[in-house]
Amino acid sequence: MSSIALPRAVAPRRAWLTDLPLLLVAVVWGASYLAAKDITTARTVLAVLVLRFAVVVPVLVVVGRRALLALTAAQWRGAGLLGLILGGIFLLETYGVVHTSATNAGLIISLTMIFTPLAEAAVTRTRPSRAFLAAAGLSVLGVLLLTQNGGLSRPGGGDLLMLLAALARTLHVLAMARLKGIRGAAALPLTTVQLTTAVVVFAILSAGGGGATPWATAAGFGAREWAGLLFLAVCCTLFAFFVQMWAVRRTSPSRVSLLLGTEPLWAATAGIALGGERLGVWGLAGGALVLVGTAWGRGAAR
């Protein structure tokens, strides 16, 4: 790994200084499921999403205003389309985590690492390796075991929503790679347009739905809820976004993927250590299979 992961000029100490922030991104992303579950109910999903991105978007607009003005009409349209997909991802993830455990949510979403190469192979009409197919099967078996509570039963609604979120993430990755309209645009303005599009969707749905309004939800927040919201907005969105932009210029994509791929481990750790969640024998076995399967699948795909 070391022979391909680092440019020749990068010393081990400097590599560690790059790896640590990436590892922190994986940690906060893993903890985000528990934070979202702690401050969100089925009635406040849309309101919390509006509040979360209302904190983030103005900062991104101010920082990247010049880059936004440089976008072409085609790049605006492409980024807007990606924003619609991104909005769907956040809706599925947030509704999903409300109806399942934070541990299940983090582990099921990790199947994106398996779904993406499979979808790419279908689009490019190339056959995945046997090792990859075996890893995919192992991960699917792990999810089935993970969603059991003391015996074989149908997965819950929250688990199915997280599975759909993993598929939506796959669609988002493929769209980013294949949309010609966004080529040549910088990451900052593209992300700003995507998040702005998503928050507009959330605001429209919130205004037309029967759930709690953003201002009523904000008024009912105590110190704990505001801390959770700021954690999601500042750490899980702003911090994570800028670290990825910074790190990708200093290390290899394979190393970035490897470090961010530890997200499910931190989701399970946060759910068990901080959320008091218990997986049981079936769940522990399933979680282990998901982690092994996704790691094996990344290696086989690479």
Side-chain angles (χ1 to χ4, degrees):
M1 181 67 177
S2 59
S3 63
I4 63 173
L6 298 175
R8 181 182 299 179
V10 178
R13 182 178 178 183
R14 184 175 177 182
W16 172 247
L17 293 177
T18 304
D19 290 349
L20 182 58
L22 282 170
L23 191 60
L24 287 176
V25 171
V27 171
V28 297
W29 275 355
S32 69
Y33 298 103
L34 183 62
K37 188 175 181 65
D38 189 48
I39 69 171
T40 311
T41 67
R43 291 189 70 254
T44 62
V45 166
L46 291 170
V48 169
L49 286 173
V50 171
L51 293 171
R52 174 179 175 177
F53 290 99
V55 173
V56 173
V57 168
V59 177
L60 292 177
V61 170
V62 171
V63 172
R65 59 188 181 280
R66 292 183 179 178
L68 283 171
L69 294 175
L71 291 178
T72 66
Q75 290 168 341
W76 275 94
R77 289 193 297 270
L81 175 60
L82 290 173
L84 293 176
I85 300 173
L86 189 65
I89 293 171
F90 278 108
L91 286 170
L92 289 168
E93 286 184 352
T94 310
Y95 276 112
V97 78
V98 167
H99 296 290
T100 189
S101 68
T103 302
N104 278 27
L107 288 169
I108 293 172
I109 203 68
S110 70
L111 290 177
T112 303
M113 298 180 194
I114 298 295
F115 292 155
T116 302
L118 283 176
E120 187 175 12
V123 170
T124 58
R125 298 182 180 180
T126 56
R127 183 180 178 85
S129 67
R130 292 182 179 180
F132 180 80
L133 291 176
L138 191 67
S139 297
V140 172
L141 176 61
V143 170
L144 291 176
L145 291 177
L146 177 66
T147 56
Q148 307 312 307
N149 294 307
L152 295 176
S153 61
R154 292 183 179 180
D159 299 320
L160 293 177
L161 286 174
M162 294 308 302
L163 189 61
L164 290 174
L167 291 170
R169 278 195 184 189
T170 298
L171 176 62
H172 188 257
V173 171
L174 290 179
M176 287 194 68
R178 302 184 71 85
L179 274 178
K180 295 181 180 180
I182 64 172
R183 292 177 184 175
L188 176 59
L190 287 180
T191 301
T192 303
V193 175
Q194 288 183 71
L195 294 181
T196 302
T197 302
V199 76
V200 169
V201 171
F202 302 148
I204 292 173
L205 292 176
S206 177
T213 61
W215 47 88
T217 301
F221 274 0
R224 178 188 179 95
E225 289 77 14
W226 276 110
L229 181 69
L230 291 175
F231 170 74
L232 290 171
V234 177
C235 297
C236 302
T237 307
L238 278 180
F239 169 75
F241 167 68
F242 283 112
V243 164
Q244 286 184 90
M245 285 189 61
W246 171 80
V248 78
R249 293 171 172 82
R250 290 166 173 78
T251 188
S252 71
S254 295
R255 197 176 186 91
V256 171
S257 175
L258 180 65
L259 292 165
L260 294 183
T262 63
E263 176 189 348
L265 176 62
W266 302 114
T269 301
I272 294 171
L274 302 177
E277 297 177 355
R278 296 292 180 267
L279 288 179
V281 176
W282 286 110
L284 288 172
L289 288 179
V290 169
L291 293 175
V292 171
T294 51
W296 185 12
R298 289 201 310 275
R302 190 176 305 128

